[in-house]
C-alpha cells in the first residue's frame, strides 16, 4: 500500500504510475510519477517532446483502504520523454529513426586479424572477434542542445552486450568474454 500523502498530484489527463518489479527487458522502466496514457507507437496524442512507448508498471498501486491485486508488473502504453532510453525489439528495429543494431554490428567488420609479437620476438596470428549473441538492445535517443546553447548535441546510440573472442594460432590465447558495446 502506498501512503497517499507522498503521492504527487497529477494534472489534466495524466495518471499516477509506479515502476513494476523486476523490470522486463522489452519495456521502458519508469520512475514514480504522472504520465499520460496512449495506445500504440503510432499514437499521436503525446506532446511533441514525448513518444508513445510501452513501459513496465506496477498495476497494483492501492488506493488507501482498497483491496490490492497481487501482480507486481505489467506493460502499459505511456507518453514518455523522447530522451528516455528504451529497448528495441530486435536488431532491425530503428533507434530514434536513425540507426539499427544491425547497422552498428555490420560496422564492426569482425573478425579482425593481426600479428602478435611476443617479447621473445616470436610471432603468431591473432584473431579478434566481436558478435552479438542476443540480449537487450537499448536505444538512447538523440538529445539536442537547447537553441543558443554551447552544449553539444548527442546523436542517437545503441547499447548492447557482445561476445569478444581473442585467439592466437599458436593456441596460447583462446579467450572469450561478454563486454558492452555502445555504438
Amino acid at each position: 500500500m502506498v501512503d497517499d500523502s507522498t503521492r504527487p498530484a497529477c494534472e489534466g489527463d495524466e495518471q499516477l504510475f509506479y515502476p513494476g518489479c523486476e523490470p522486463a527487458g522489452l519495456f521502458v522502466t519508469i520512475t514514480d510519477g504522472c504520465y499520460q496514457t496512449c495506445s500504440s507507437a503510432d499514437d499521436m496524442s503525446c506532446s511533441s517532446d514525448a513518444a508513445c512507448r510501452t513501459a513496465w508498471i506496477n498495476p497494483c498501486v492501492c488506493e488507501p483502504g482498497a483491496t490490492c491485486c497481487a501482480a507486481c508488473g505489467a506493460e502499459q502504453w505511456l507518453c514518455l520523454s523522447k530522451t528516455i532510453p528504451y529497448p528495441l525489439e530486435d536488431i532491425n528495429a530503428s533507434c530514434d529513426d536513425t540507426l539499427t543494431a544491425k547497422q552498428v554490428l555490420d560496422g564492426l567488420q569482425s573478425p579482425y586479424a593481426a600479428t602478435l609479437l611476443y617479447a621473445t620476438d616470436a610471432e603468431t596470428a591473432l584473431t579478434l572477434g566481436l558478435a552479438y549473441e542476443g540480449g537487450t538492445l537499448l536505444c538512447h535517443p538523440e538529445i539536442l542542445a537547447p537553441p543558443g546553447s554551447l552544449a553539444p548535441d548527442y546523436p542517437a546510440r545503441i547499447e548492447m552486450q557482445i561476445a569478444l573472442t581473442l585467439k592466437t594460432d599458436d593456441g596460447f590465447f583462446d579467450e572469450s568474454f561478454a563486454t558492452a558495446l555502445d555504438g
Side-chain angles (χ1 to χ4, degrees):
M1 189 170 292
V2 176
D3 178 3
D4 197 39
S5 66
T6 63
R7 290 183 185 206
C10 297
E11 297 180 7
D13 56 357
E14 291 184 336
Q15 299 173 31
L16 182 60
F17 289 95
Y18 290 88
C21 62
E22 300 177 15
L26 291 178
F27 305 104
V28 177
T29 301
I30 62 166
T31 57
D32 299 1
C34 298
Y35 299 92
Q36 176 185 335
T37 61
C38 49
S39 60
S40 71
D42 298 330
D43 188 329
M44 302 306 285
S45 67
C46 300
S47 66
S48 63
D49 62 343
C52 189
R53 297 198 178 119
T54 310
W56 192 243
I57 61 143
N58 181 347
C60 300
V61 177
C62 304
E63 294 297 327
T67 303
C68 199
C69 67
C72 65
E75 60 183 279
Q76 172 70 50
W77 287 97
L78 298 175
C79 293
L80 301 171
S81 169
K82 288 182 179 178
T83 62
I84 294 176
Y86 61 94
L88 299 172
E89 292 178 19
D90 58 47
I91 65 171
N92 295 308
S94 177
C95 173
D96 206 27
D97 294 327
T98 58
L99 77 156
T100 67
K102 182 170 182 351
Q103 291 170 316
V104 172
L105 294 167
D106 288 348
L108 293 177
Q109 301 174 349
S110 181
Y112 295 91
T115 301
L116 177 65
L117 177 64
Y118 291 106
T120 62
D121 289 333
E123 293 182 359
T124 188
L126 170 73
T127 304
L128 176 72
L130 303 166
Y132 173 69
E133 296 179 336
T136 301
L137 302 164
L138 192 60
C139 172
H140 295 264
E142 174 182 53
I143 299 175
L144 299 175
S149 165
L150 297 177
D153 291 340
Y154 293 97
R157 61 189 176 83
I158 298 175
E159 180 183 338
M160 67 185 94
Q161 289 290 313
I162 60 167
L164 185 141
T165 56
L166 178 73
K167 186 174 186 172
T168 56
D169 281 358
D170 64 5
F172 192 72
F173 291 99
D174 190 1
E175 313 296 324
S176 101
F177 52 92
T179 188
L181 172 67
D182 200 335

mmCIF file of all heavy atoms in Angstrom, residues 143-154:
data_model
loop_
_atom_site.group_PDB
_atom_site.id
_atom_site.type_symbol
_atom_site.label_atom_id
_atom_site.label_comp_id
_atom_site.label_asym_id
_atom_site.label_seq_id
_atom_site.Cartn_x
_atom_site.Cartn_y
_atom_site.Cartn_z
ATOM 1 N N ILE A 143 19.785 13.635 -28.291
ATOM 2 C CA ILE A 143 19.485 14.742 -27.391
ATOM 3 C C ILE A 143 20.068 16.003 -28.033
ATOM 4 O O ILE A 143 21.280 16.109 -28.227
ATOM 5 C CB ILE A 143 20.092 14.526 -25.988
ATOM 6 C CG1 ILE A 143 19.506 13.264 -25.355
ATOM 7 C CG2 ILE A 143 19.844 15.755 -25.105
ATOM 8 C CD1 ILE A 143 20.123 12.898 -24.020
ATOM 9 N N LEU A 144 19.181 16.923 -28.382
ATOM 10 C CA LEU A 144 19.604 18.173 -29.000
ATOM 11 C C LEU A 144 19.822 19.228 -27.923
ATOM 12 O O LEU A 144 19.032 19.353 -26.996
ATOM 13 C CB LEU A 144 18.553 18.662 -29.997
ATOM 14 C CG LEU A 144 18.271 17.727 -31.169
ATOM 15 C CD1 LEU A 144 17.130 18.268 -32.022
ATOM 16 C CD2 LEU A 144 19.525 17.521 -32.003
ATOM 17 N N ALA A 145 20.910 19.966 -28.063
ATOM 18 C CA ALA A 145 21.203 21.044 -27.116
ATOM 19 C C ALA A 145 20.169 22.153 -27.285
ATOM 20 O O ALA A 145 19.650 22.359 -28.383
ATOM 21 C CB ALA A 145 22.601 21.581 -27.374
ATOM 22 N N PRO A 146 19.861 22.875 -26.209
ATOM 23 C CA PRO A 146 18.917 23.984 -26.332
ATOM 24 C C PRO A 146 19.438 25.026 -27.326
ATOM 25 O O PRO A 146 20.649 25.245 -27.414
ATOM 26 C CB PRO A 146 18.866 24.571 -24.916
ATOM 27 C CG PRO A 146 19.364 23.480 -24.024
ATOM 28 C CD PRO A 146 20.329 22.686 -24.833
ATOM 29 N N PRO A 147 18.555 25.654 -28.091
ATOM 30 C CA PRO A 147 18.981 26.679 -29.057
ATOM 31 C C PRO A 147 19.797 27.770 -28.369
ATOM 32 O O PRO A 147 19.465 28.217 -27.273
ATOM 33 C CB PRO A 147 17.659 27.240 -29.591
ATOM 34 C CG PRO A 147 16.651 26.164 -29.338
ATOM 35 C CD PRO A 147 17.107 25.468 -28.090
ATOM 36 N N GLY A 148 20.887 28.161 -28.993
ATOM 37 C CA GLY A 148 21.750 29.201 -28.445
ATOM 38 C C GLY A 148 22.719 28.694 -27.396
ATOM 39 O O GLY A 148 23.564 29.427 -26.901
ATOM 40 N N SER A 149 22.623 27.429 -27.050
ATOM 41 C CA SER A 149 23.498 26.840 -26.038
ATOM 42 C C SER A 149 24.826 26.448 -26.661
ATOM 43 O O SER A 149 24.921 26.153 -27.845
ATOM 44 C CB SER A 149 22.815 25.592 -25.465
ATOM 45 O OG SER A 149 23.735 24.812 -24.751
ATOM 46 N N LEU A 150 25.863 26.438 -25.866
ATOM 47 C CA LEU A 150 27.169 25.976 -26.330
ATOM 48 C C LEU A 150 27.346 24.481 -26.062
ATOM 49 O O LEU A 150 28.375 23.897 -26.391
ATOM 50 C CB LEU A 150 28.292 26.760 -25.650
ATOM 51 C CG LEU A 150 28.316 28.262 -25.958
ATOM 52 C CD1 LEU A 150 29.418 28.949 -25.187
ATOM 53 C CD2 LEU A 150 28.464 28.502 -27.449
ATOM 54 N N ALA A 151 26.325 23.860 -25.472
ATOM 55 C CA ALA A 151 26.383 22.427 -25.186
ATOM 56 C C ALA A 151 26.306 21.646 -26.498
ATOM 57 O O ALA A 151 25.667 22.077 -27.452
ATOM 58 C CB ALA A 151 25.227 22.024 -24.275
ATOM 59 N N PRO A 152 26.945 20.480 -26.563
ATOM 60 C CA PRO A 152 26.891 19.686 -27.800
ATOM 61 C C PRO A 152 25.593 18.899 -27.921
ATOM 62 O O PRO A 152 24.922 18.623 -26.931
ATOM 63 C CB PRO A 152 28.073 18.722 -27.626
ATOM 64 C CG PRO A 152 28.175 18.532 -26.150
ATOM 65 C CD PRO A 152 27.804 19.877 -25.549
ATOM 66 N N ASP A 153 25.237 18.562 -29.156
ATOM 67 C CA ASP A 153 24.154 17.616 -29.396
ATOM 68 C C ASP A 153 24.717 16.219 -29.173
ATOM 69 O O ASP A 153 25.915 15.981 -29.366
ATOM 70 C CB ASP A 153 23.658 17.713 -30.837
ATOM 71 C CG ASP A 153 22.929 19.017 -31.131
ATOM 72 O OD1 ASP A 153 22.468 19.671 -30.181
ATOM 73 O OD2 ASP A 153 22.830 19.378 -32.319
ATOM 74 N N TYR A 154 23.871 15.290 -28.769
ATOM 75 C CA TYR A 154 24.286 13.903 -28.606
ATOM 76 C C TYR A 154 23.495 13.062 -29.597
ATOM 77 O O TYR A 154 22.271 13.013 -29.515
ATOM 78 C CB TYR A 154 24.026 13.419 -27.178
ATOM 79 C CG TYR A 154 24.906 14.111 -26.166
ATOM 80 C CD1 TYR A 154 24.446 15.198 -25.446
ATOM 81 C CD2 TYR A 154 26.207 13.669 -25.955
ATOM 82 C CE1 TYR A 154 25.264 15.850 -24.530
ATOM 83 C CE2 TYR A 154 27.030 14.310 -25.038
ATOM 84 C CZ TYR A 154 26.550 15.392 -24.330
ATOM 85 O OH TYR A 154 27.363 16.029 -23.433
#
